[in-house]
Amino acid sequence: MPYLIYAPDTTDEKLYELPAGEISIGRERDNIIAITNETSVSRHHAQIIISQDSVNIVDRQSSNGTFVNGIKIESCLLNEGDLIHCGNAIFKFVTNANQEKDTGPKNIVKEYSQESTKTELNLLLDQQQDDSLSVLKLRQKDVNLQAVDKLKILLEVSKQLSSPAELEILLPKILDLLFEIIKVDRAVILLVNEKTGELEQKAVKGKEGITTEGRFYSKNITNFALEKGTTFLTTDASLDRRFDNAESIVSQSIHGAVCIPLKPRDKVIGVLYADNLSLSNVYSDQDVEFLTGLANQAAIAIDNTQLYKKIESEAILRNKLERFFPLTVARKLKETDKLEIVDTEVTALFSDISGFTKMSSTMEPRQIISMLNEYFKVMVEDIVFRYEGTLEKYIGDALFAIWGAPYQTYNDEEKAIKAAIDMQWAVRRLNQEREKRQQEPIAIHIGINSGKVAAGNIGSEKLIQYATIGDTTNVTSRICSEAKADEILISQTTKEKLKSDNFPLEIIPPVMVKGKDEPIQLYRLLWQQVSSELDQKI
C-alpha cells in the first residue's frame, strides 16, 4: 500500500493512505488530503492517481506549482522516497509505512552525545607564564601535550565563535580570546570595504597601560598581508628593510609583529594584526601556525556573520517587495529579471464605493485613510489574494484586480466572481462593525469583464508597475459605473467563459458604455442567493 507522509520528520508529521483511484490534495475541505492551514496550497492543488502498476501525481494548475524532488512538474510518476512540494506543504512518498518508521542506523556499537562537557580555556592556559619562549600561554610544558591542548583550544574557539552575531559583538570577542590565549600588547582587526577595497579598522584592543589611540599599526604591514594573501611575520619591524620608509614602525617602536590575512574561502576579507612593543624574536613557527589556525576560525565566524547579514537584508528586501507588489507579481519577479509584455486573456474586476465623494466630504483626511485601509485590507488581502487574484492598482476608493495574469488557471472567471460575492458579504460584516462605532455604512458596486489584454511592466525597467492595457480593462471600469450600490454586473464574455451554471444571473437590457458604438449585454449577479466562502473572522 502506498502512502504520503505530510511534514516528514517534524512534530506535524501525518500519514495518509493512498487507496486505488484518484486522491485530491488542496486547501479546501472537499479534498481527500486537505491542508487547510497552508495558504500557499491552492484550493485544489494536485491529484494523485493510483493504478495497479503505477502512482502518478498531476498538478491542477496550482498557483505555486507542484514540485517533485525540486523539479516543477505537470505530471510525474512517483518513486519510493520522492519529496513532493505543494506550495510550502511537503510530502514524502513511500510504499511501506512500517519500513519508513524504522529508519534508524543499524549495527550501532556505541552512541556519543554532541553535548560534551565544555573545555574551559583556563584549564589549558597559564595566565602567569612569563618565562616561556612561546607567546602562547600554555599550561603544559611537554611538547606533545601542548600539541593536544592547542587542538582543544582551537576547538573551544570554534565553539565560542560558531553562532552568527553582530560584528560589533563578534570582533571584540575575537580579540578577547586572542589576548586570553597569546601574549601580545596590541591587536586590531581590519576588514576590507567592499566598495573601496581598502582596509578599515573595525575592532582594537590593547594591554592594560598601553594606548591604542590613533592608527598604531603600520599600513605597510597590513597592506602587505592583504595584497600577498599570506601571513606576515617580522621579529623586529624596525630593522626590516622592507619597511625602511615606514615612519609608523619607527615611531611606534614596533618589534615583533604578526599580520594574518582573514581568508575564509578564496578571498581575503580582512587582516588580524598583533604586535609586541618590547619583545623581539617572540614568534616561533609553531606560534605562527597556531595563530593562523585561530585566525582561520575568526575568518569563518566573520564571514558567516556577514553572510547572515546579507541574507537578513535580502529577506527584508523580499518582504518589502511582497508588500509593494501583489503576491503573484512578486513571485514572477523572483522567477525572471524583467516582466515581458505578453498578450493574454484575463478576467478583470473593478470595485468602487458608492457615494464615496459625498461621504468623504464630511470626513477628515485621516478618517478617510483609516476607513480605506480597513476596507482594502479585507477586500484585497482577505479576498482578492485568497482567490489568487492580482491587485493591479488602487484608484482612490476603487480597486482594480485581475485573474489570468501573470499566471493563468483553468477557472479564473469563477475565482473573480466568487471574490466579488465575498466582497459584498464582507461589506455587510464591515457595516456591522461600523454601526457599533456609530459610523455611516458603506456600499460597493462591482463590474466584471473578460477579454484580451497586453500585460507586463508598463513604464521603465527601473520603475516597475505591473499593469494590463486594452479595451477589456476600459470596459470593466464602464461596467462598474453602470452597477448600482450593492450590485455585481458581469459581461457577456465572462458569462460565456464560465464552466458551470452555479451562479444565479439575471439578464438586463443592453446598455451603452463610453467608447463603444454598440450596446453591450450585461448580467446582474444575484449574489445574495450565494453563501460567502470567506471565513467569518475578518
Side-chain angles (χ1 to χ4, degrees):
M1 169 79 70
Y3 300 83
L4 276 188
I5 301 176
Y6 170 70
D9 303 320
T10 71
T11 56
D12 297 324
E13 183 177 296
K14 187 174 181 180
L15 188 68
Y16 292 94
E17 279 189 14
L18 301 178
E22 297 180 354
I23 294 93
S24 59
I25 301 173
R27 196 176 69 243
E28 290 293 321
R29 296 186 182 277
D30 59 354
N31 291 283
I32 296 175
I33 300 178
I35 310 299
T36 57
N37 62 338
E38 183 52 72
T39 57
S40 64
V41 177
S42 293
R43 294 166 61 216
H44 298 95
H45 197 107
Q47 191 170 45
I48 293 182
I49 303 171
I50 313 292
S51 64
Q52 186 175 0
D53 301 319
S54 64
V55 178
N56 285 271
I57 184 167
V58 178
D59 180 73
R60 298 181 66 182
Q61 295 182 307
S62 61
S63 294
N64 293 319
T66 302
F67 295 78
V68 176
N69 298 327
I71 300 173
K72 190 174 183 180
I73 59 97
E74 293 183 1
S75 64
C76 178
L77 181 67
L78 291 177
N79 297 304
E80 177 71 22
D82 281 348
L83 286 178
I84 302 163
H85 283 71
C86 295
N88 293 330
I90 302 174
F91 300 88
K92 187 174 184 179
F93 175 74
V94 296
T95 54
N96 189 324
N98 293 327
Q99 180 180 351
E100 177 64 22
K101 292 297 181 183
D102 185 19
T103 57
K106 305 297 188 294
N107 301 322
I108 295 177
V109 177
K110 190 174 183 180
E111 295 185 37
Y112 294 88
S113 172
Q114 292 297 318
E115 301 296 326
S116 57
T117 304
K118 180 180 177 181
T119 303
E120 296 289 348
L121 287 177
N122 58 16
L123 296 177
L124 303 171
L125 301 172
D126 183 359
Q127 300 297 336
Q128 305 302 319
Q129 187 186 66
D130 294 322
D131 57 349
S132 172
L133 297 177
S134 172
V135 294
L136 299 181
K137 301 176 183 180
L138 295 174
R139 187 180 296 275
Q140 295 287 354
K141 305 300 181 183
D142 184 272
V143 175
N144 293 325
L145 294 176
Q146 284 183 349
V148 174
D149 283 358
K150 287 179 183 179
L151 292 175
K152 290 180 179 179
I153 291 169
L154 289 177
L155 178 61
E156 181 59 31
V157 168
S158 70
K159 288 181 182 178
Q160 293 196 31
L161 301 180
S162 60
S163 298
E166 297 290 333
L167 283 179
E168 293 78 6
I169 298 173
L170 175 65
L171 300 183
K173 186 175 183 179
I174 292 170
L175 294 182
D176 288 342
L177 286 168
L178 178 70
F179 273 72
E180 187 177 356
I181 298 167
I182 299 168
K183 290 184 287 185
V184 294
D185 291 329
R186 302 176 302 191
V188 63
I189 295 175
L190 301 102
L191 298 181
V192 176
N193 183 307
E194 291 186 356
K195 293 182 179 179
T196 65
E198 299 290 326
L199 286 170
E200 294 180 350
Q201 179 177 310
K202 294 298 183 181
V204 63
K205 183 179 176 68
K207 196 174 179 180
E208 187 176 353
I210 296 177
T211 181
T212 57
E213 294 181 1
R215 182 175 58 80
F216 64 83
Y217 55 88
S218 167
K219 288 184 69 175
N220 294 65
I221 292 176
T222 55
N223 286 338
F224 184 90
L226 174 64
E227 293 167 7
K228 299 295 182 181
T230 55
T231 299
F232 166 81
L233 171 68
T234 181
T235 55
D236 193 334
S238 62
L239 301 177
D240 197 317
R241 292 182 178 180
R242 288 172 294 184
F243 308 110
D244 285 343
N245 298 321
E247 294 181 5
S248 61
I249 292 175
V250 178
S251 63
Q252 293 286 344
S253 302
I254 299 171
H255 286 69
V258 62
C259 191
I260 307 171
L262 299 172
K263 190 177 180 181
R265 288 178 296 224
D266 57 349
K267 183 180 179 182
V268 178
I269 62 172
V271 298
L272 171 62
Y273 170 91
D275 65 22
N276 294 80
L277 299 181
S278 57
L279 299 175
S280 301
N281 301 310
V282 291
Y283 296 101
S284 67
D285 290 342
Q286 290 79 8
D287 292 340
V288 174
E289 183 180 7
F290 177 84
L291 273 168
T292 302
L294 190 148
N296 287 339
Q297 295 293 341
I300 292 169
I302 294 169
D303 189 51
N304 285 343
T305 293
Q306 291 177 330
L307 288 173
Y308 181 81
K309 292 299 292 183
K310 287 181 180 178
I311 292 170
E312 194 176 56
S313 298
E314 289 175 0
I316 293 172
L317 180 62
R318 184 167 60 249
N319 182 55
K320 288 181 178 179
L321 179 74
E322 292 174 349
R323 287 179 61 193
F324 285 95
F325 289 100
L327 298 177
T328 50
V329 177
R331 175 184 161 200
K332 194 69 176 179
L333 285 170
K334 294 174 188 176
E335 297 174 358
T336 181
D337 293 335
K338 56 183 178 179
L339 298 172
E340 299 286 353
I341 304 295
V342 296
D343 294 322
T344 186
E345 288 200 1
V346 300
T347 294
L349 179 153
F350 207 101
S351 172
D352 208 353
I353 298 178
S354 304
F356 180 77
T357 302
K358 181 180 179 181
M359 178 190 298
S360 61
S361 66
T362 63
M363 301 169 65
E364 294 293 328
R366 285 183 176 270
Q367 292 177 315
I368 297 172
I369 293 174
S370 177
M371 185 200 79
L372 289 177
N373 285 343
E374 179 186 41
Y375 167 74
F376 283 135
K377 191 272 177 186
V378 176
M379 297 298 111
V380 177
E381 294 183 24
D382 295 347
I383 299 177
V384 173
F385 291 165
R386 182 176 186 269
Y387 286 102
E388 301 168 341
T390 297
L391 172 70
E392 185 171 310
K393 65 186 72 165
Y394 297 118
I395 310 170
D397 62 303
L399 71 86
F400 181 50
I402 56 173
W403 280 258
Y407 300 97
Q408 278 194 335
T409 64
Y410 73 98
N411 60 341
D412 286 325
E413 301 78 22
E414 181 178 328
K415 291 175 182 176
I417 289 177
K418 286 186 175 181
I421 294 171
D422 278 1
M423 285 180 179
Q424 292 289 9
W425 283 112
V427 167
R428 286 196 172 186
R429 286 188 280 269
L430 278 174
N431 282 335
Q432 292 173 4
E433 297 299 319
R434 292 180 63 81
E435 184 180 358
K436 293 177 184 177
R437 300 193 294 259
Q438 297 182 336
Q439 294 174 331
E440 184 180 350
I442 63 173
I444 63 173
H445 50 281
I446 300 172
I448 298 176
N449 184 34
S450 303
K452 293 182 178 180
V453 296
N457 176 28
I458 310 300
S460 67
E461 290 187 3
K462 290 185 178 180
L463 183 60
I464 295 175
Q465 180 181 354
Y466 188 82
T468 54
I469 301 295
D471 185 59
T472 297
T473 57
N474 297 330
V475 171
T476 307
S477 175
R478 306 288 184 253
I479 295 173
C480 180
S481 299
E482 291 296 324
K484 298 180 177 63
D486 296 326
E487 273 193 346
I488 301 172
L489 296 182
I490 73 169
S491 69
Q492 178 72 34
T493 54
T494 300
K495 179 181 181 297
E496 290 172 355
K497 287 180 176 294
L498 285 173
K499 297 175 176 61
S500 66
D501 298 323
N502 297 333
F503 303 106
L505 299 174
E506 179 182 83
I507 192 168
I508 65 174
V511 297
M512 290 295 301
V513 298
K514 185 178 178 181
K516 288 291 184 181
D517 297 330
E518 299 292 333
I520 63 173
Q521 182 62 63
L522 299 178
Y523 297 82
R524 182 181 295 112
L525 176 61
L526 306 178
W527 59 270
Q528 297 91 339
Q529 299 179 20
V530 184
S531 61
S532 170
E533 294 188 13
L534 183 66
D535 294 337
Q536 294 300 311
K537 293 183 179 180
I538 296 181

